[in-house]
Amino acid sequence: MYEFICYSPTICLSTRGISGLRWVITGVFGGVVASIAYAIIADLFKADQRGRAMGLLQIAFAVSLVGGLPLTLYLSSKFNWQGAYAFIFLIGFGFILWMGVSLKPLRIHLYHPVKKSSWQHLSETLLNKRHAFFFFQ
């Protein structure tokens, strides 16, 4: 499995050139955005609400993956290839406006003093014997 992770970007870059580089960058940042979204949900929701919130996020990801391609193909055939991008832009811009109006700012973390630096926390995590088995397997 690790070979696939190492070789797939290389194959993508060697066969597609600069277009492959865009695919690799998109894949790298897409995974990071998803993990950040789950971390935000884990931080903001209570334990009894967390499962429902994560389930709704997974449903949103699945609907966008399954329904997004046919919808954008339909929009491209109905208008032109830019119609799909315009639709994605309008949906995203609408969500940005909605979030700016309806969501409260998350500033509670600013009132708690930082006890350790990020590097100290990372080094303690890496040197923890319970974690070492999984990190250095």
Side-chain angles (χ1 to χ4, degrees):
M1 178 176 160
Y2 295 117
E3 294 84 17
F4 176 74
I5 293 171
C6 295
Y7 293 138
S8 61
T10 309
I11 292 169
C12 187
L13 288 174
S14 65
T15 59
R16 303 210 182 265
I18 195 70
S19 175
L21 179 62
R22 288 187 293 228
W23 285 5
V24 170
I25 291 172
T26 302
V28 167
F29 286 107
V32 171
V33 168
S35 64
I36 289 172
Y38 285 116
I40 290 171
I41 287 177
D43 288 343
L44 293 181
F45 288 90
K46 296 176 186 171
D48 60 335
Q49 298 174 337
R50 198 172 297 147
R52 182 172 186 254
M54 286 190 181
L56 289 173
L57 184 64
Q58 288 176 345
I59 289 171
F61 282 149
V63 167
S64 69
L65 289 172
V66 172
L69 184 62
L71 180 63
T72 53
L73 287 174
Y74 172 75
L75 290 172
S76 296
S77 66
K78 196 75 170 166
F79 302 105
N80 57 15
W81 66 271
Q82 293 142 337
Y85 290 100
F87 175 74
I88 292 170
F89 171 77
L90 290 174
I91 293 291
F93 190 70
F95 273 112
I96 288 172
L97 291 177
W98 172 73
M99 287 187 300
V101 171
S102 65
L103 296 179
K104 295 179 265 184
L106 302 173
R107 294 194 182 122
I108 195 120
H109 67 282
L110 298 175
Y111 302 119
H112 299 292
V114 177
K115 298 174 185 166
K116 299 185 239 180
S117 73
S118 301
W119 294 108
Q120 287 174 329
H121 183 69
L122 177 65
S123 66
E124 287 176 7
T125 303
L126 291 175
L127 296 175
N128 188 336
K129 291 181 181 181
R130 294 186 321 171
H131 300 161
F133 175 74
F134 296 103
F135 285 136
F136 306 112
Q137 193 169 337

